[in-house]
Amino acid sequence: MPPRVRLSGGRIPQPLRQHRLRQYYLPMAIRCATTAATATMPNPSIEQMTKSAVPIAKYSPSQPPSHRNPEYRRSQLLRQYTSLIRTTPLMVLFQHDNLQSVEWAAIRRELSSAMQKVDEQIASDGRNVPALAPHVKVQIMQTSIFEVALRIVEYFRPNQEAAAGGQTLSAVHSATQTSAESPLLGLRDDPSLTHDLSRAAHDSVMHMKGKHELSTLLIGPIAVLSIPDVSPEHLKAALTVLAPKACGFPVPTRKANPGWHELPVQNGLNKLALLAARIDGQVFDADQTKWVGGIQGGMDGLRSQLVMALQSMGSGITNSLEGAGKSLYFTLESRKNILEEEQKGPEGQKSDS
């Protein structure tokens, strides 16, 4: 057994003494500060005492419960596709046949270059239009998820369903049963939730499966060209790069655009096929898409053509009304002259005799 070491003078070492002082004085200081703060705080008013407490939210407003698990990649893709469809008025669908990454990179490079040229041309014309080149994209879609996103955007109307009384009784009953069995499942199937991953959105578009206008085309690998504004000039430039032969647009010359004639670009374009377009919620086939891209002057040119048509229609109606009035006037004048001559005829013979 080791010998005991006696402390000199029977005094406690300095570190140990400071530790014991902290243990004794620190809680006392905390109690004093708490007492002073409580003494300085005003007493609660009668309204605060009688007012009911604010109810605790069942879920976070930034991430409500979802019928589809939001942690899955399919759920995130569905939210991404619905947002893209709602915010993009001009979309062109292509069918691709296993393009390589080098070919996609070359096609995207040529597409970006063509969009920048269109923006520069519009700016040189003095038109105050925001640049669309940074926002024009072509991306590969998961076909089945994109079809569900189309049905949700087209057929799911949460405001109308809420005005009509919400969900059906069966849905409410099922939600009540699941909430009684498991609170988490009850929140996921809550009929008051109307976001894209909710049970309400799932049930409202389930019976429309395969009935969308684009459902027959969404077979196999699909790529979508998205333009954030209805711009016939950008559409024409994009189709000139991606599908000039299918739309009948002139092929870029080698001198003006040598990159378009490179081998990766040509190999990739041979694997692309134009299917249809979705413009302002309407489905257009290849010929109609070509017509939209062939509008001269873009949307401003289309508006000027509409104004000219309305003016010519108005002038035509005015001329027709004026012509009818003039013909009636001349007819009445001629009849008046005939009647006056007939009345003057016998009186003139009597005066001669």
Side-chain angles (χ1 to χ4, degrees), residues 28-42:
M28 184 180 294
I30 293 174
R31 285 196 299 271
C32 294
T34 306
T35 305
T38 307
T40 56
M41 289 178 60

Side-chain angles (χ1 to χ4, degrees), residues 19 57 333:
H19 178 66
E333 284 293 328

Side-chain angles (χ1 to χ4, degrees), residues 125-263:
D125 295 340
R127 295 161 55 187
N128 188 13
V129 178
L132 300 180
H135 309 289
V136 177
K137 297 179 180 179
V138 55
Q139 52 186 333
I140 301 174
M141 297 292 181
Q142 294 288 340
T143 308
S144 58
I145 304 177
F146 186 72
E147 195 267 341
V148 176
L150 278 174
R151 284 190 280 131
I152 290 177
V153 174
E154 293 288 345
Y155 306 122
F156 180 48
R157 298 291 181 268
N159 297 330
Q160 296 179 2
E161 292 184 4
Q167 301 294 321
T168 59
L169 294 176
S170 60
V172 175
H173 181 66
S174 62
T176 307
Q177 284 185 345
T178 51
S179 62
E181 297 171 359
S182 173
L184 182 59
L185 292 178
L187 289 178
R188 288 179 179 177
D189 295 338
D190 188 358
S192 63
L193 300 175
T194 56
H195 55 89
D196 292 339
L197 300 181
S198 63
R199 180 63 179 268
H202 176 270
D203 293 343
S204 62
V205 301
M206 178 60 69
H207 65 284
M208 300 299 295
K209 184 176 181 180
K211 297 182 181 180
H212 194 271
E213 293 178 294
L214 293 174
S215 297
T216 56
L217 301 178
L218 296 178
I219 300 174
I222 300 296
V224 172
L225 169 69
S226 59
I227 302 176
D229 193 10
V230 181
S231 175
E233 298 167 330
H234 289 82
L235 177 61
K236 180 179 179 180
L239 294 179
T240 302
V241 173
L242 298 177
K245 296 180 180 178
C247 296
F249 293 129
V251 177
T253 60
R254 188 179 296 272
K255 182 178 181 180
N257 194 357
W260 188 83
H261 294 272
E262 293 180 357
L263 188 60

Side-chain angles (χ1 to χ4, degrees), residues 246-284:
C247 296
F249 293 129
V251 177
T253 60
R254 188 179 296 272
K255 182 178 181 180
N257 194 357
W260 188 83
H261 294 272
E262 293 180 357
L263 188 60
V265 178
Q266 294 300 315
N267 291 337
L269 295 180
N270 291 332
K271 301 176 184 178
L272 282 178
L274 176 63
L275 296 178
R278 184 178 182 272
I279 304 175
D280 279 340
Q282 303 294 327
V283 178
F284 287 70

Side-chain angles (χ1 to χ4, degrees), residues 56 68 95 107 113 178-179 213 241 246 259 267 287 307 321:
I56 301 175
R68 302 173 185 265
Q95 189 174 21
I107 290 174
S113 177
T178 51
S179 62
E213 293 178 294
V241 173
N267 291 337
D287 294 335
V307 170
L321 295 176

